[in-house]
Amino acid sequence: MTSAPPPFDPELAAALELIREMISPGFTLDDIDTLRQSEGIRLLAELDLTLDGAFEVEDRAVPGPAGAPGISLLICRPTAPPAPGPLPVIYHVHGGGMVIGNNRVGVDVPLAWARELGAVVVSVEYRLAPEHPHPAPVEDVYAGLLWTAEHAQDIGGDPERIVIAGASAGGGLTAALALLLRDRQGPSVIGQMLMCPMLDDRNDTPSSHQMKGLGVWDRTANETGWTALLGETRGGPDVSPYAAPARATDLTNLPPAFLDVGSAETFRDETVAYASRIWQSGGFAELHVWPGGFHGFDGLAPQAALSRSARTAHLDWLRRLLAR
């Protein structure tokens, strides 16, 4: 029997009441087109990504995977770098359940880091499921990273100091990217930030059952996203770890990882398990489980005390990573 869900943080619970008017916890494949045309997605085009002139912003088309269309990279360079020389690069993979979004979704988070740390942000746009199932999304993400590493100096970046980062579906794709880079002997990255990552297509953890119908991303929505990506193979024995990183049997020799997740969200248990398996493989991982946090709470309720703590932890980890 599924146990009662953990409580939401009181401040976040109040915010969630307002958020529910815009975002419901579950959706089906029939809802994807409506979500893609929502007001929130439209407003992304109006964001001031320069942060009042702190960044120079460019959309650049670069080659995609072999035999596939080109991809778009959003490149944000500091207009007044804190020091001469090449800057760290934050390579960002957006969220959206594998089915919605573009390279502007969630980019405010790495831009805030970059303003504090003096870094270049590159945010990749990848093809979306179900029109483009696995491996299209992760191959686009991989192709964008290859271009970024090869052309880092052209955009003011340091190819030896690239951090890969993403939230939700972007967190899952970031974890898959780290596996691909290792297995294909691709460019090295110095760290991976996996924020509330979408890792396990089986959708059968205790937290996925506990949070059914609650929060902003529940078991029904999760099934929709994974089915869009994998079709009938979802949950079966032959799912690739480059689609669902929780399926990986080898987590050795990966870049240092930062993982965080709310205690009151679907992805809690798969995130904790992934961190534990990195440690069991002899790797480095820092894990934060935010008590009472729902999925994506720090982005959806940024003024809450727990959100501020989470964002401070992100920045502190990056600062320590870049200082090594």
Side-chain angles (χ1 to χ4, degrees), residues 149-203:
E150 292 169 4
H151 297 83
Q153 292 182 335
D154 298 340
I155 59 174
D158 183 349
E160 302 299 322
R161 290 191 295 163
I162 299 175
V163 182
I164 56 178
S168 194
L173 287 165
T174 298
L177 174 60
L179 293 169
L180 275 177
L181 290 169
R182 179 197 65 186
D183 296 344
R184 293 178 179 176
Q185 299 182 326
S188 62
V189 297
I190 63 170
Q192 53 177 327
M193 293 199 72
L194 313 179
M195 299 171 290
C196 54
M198 183 177 175
L199 299 168
D200 195 341
D201 66 294
R202 290 165 290 198
N203 196 26

Side-chain angles (χ1 to χ4, degrees), residues 17 81 114 131 165 173 228 269 280 311:
E17 290 299 318
E131 297 88 345
L173 287 165
D269 293 340
Q280 291 160 10
R311 292 198 168 196

Side-chain angles (χ1 to χ4, degrees), residues 44-53 57 111:
L44 289 170
E46 301 176 10
L47 290 177
D48 175 22
L49 299 180
T50 72
L51 301 191
D52 292 327
V57 177
L111 281 175

Side-chain angles (χ1 to χ4, degrees), residues 67-209:
I71 56 177
S72 174
L73 297 180
L74 175 69
I75 302 170
C76 304
R77 296 182 289 268
T79 53
L87 303 175
V89 178
I90 300 168
Y91 183 78
H92 173 250
V93 187
H94 72 81
M98 305 290 182
V99 297
I100 61 173
N102 56 44
N103 56 19
R104 283 160 166 75
V105 169
V107 77
D108 59 305
V109 173
L111 281 175
W113 302 335
R115 182 162 56 180
E116 291 290 327
L117 300 170
V120 177
V121 173
V122 178
S123 188
V124 60
E125 189 149 328
Y126 52 87
R127 288 169 289 171
L128 299 173
E131 297 88 345
H132 304 285
H134 176 76
V138 73
E139 290 292 353
D140 285 355
V141 169
Y142 184 81
L145 189 280
L146 290 183
W147 185 93
T148 299
E150 292 169 4
H151 297 83
Q153 292 182 335
D154 298 340
I155 59 174
D158 183 349
E160 302 299 322
R161 290 191 295 163
I162 299 175
V163 182
I164 56 178
S168 194
L173 287 165
T174 298
L177 174 60
L179 293 169
L180 275 177
L181 290 169
R182 179 197 65 186
D183 296 344
R184 293 178 179 176
Q185 299 182 326
S188 62
V189 297
I190 63 170
Q192 53 177 327
M193 293 199 72
L194 313 179
M195 299 171 290
C196 54
M198 183 177 175
L199 299 168
D200 195 341
D201 66 294
R202 290 165 290 198
N203 196 26
D204 200 32
T205 62
S207 59
S208 74
H209 288 279

Side-chain angles (χ1 to χ4, degrees), residues 208-255:
S208 74
H209 288 279
Q210 279 184 312
M211 301 309 299
K212 184 175 182 180
L214 300 173
V216 298
W217 182 266
D218 76 344
R219 194 162 184 264
T220 298
N222 207 32
E223 181 174 335
T224 297
W226 282 115
T227 300
L229 185 72
L230 298 172
E232 295 181 354
T233 66
R234 183 194 68 80
D238 300 319
V239 172
S240 166
Y242 308 132
R247 299 298 196 111
T249 57
D250 178 10
L251 296 183
T252 60
N253 301 314
L254 293 173

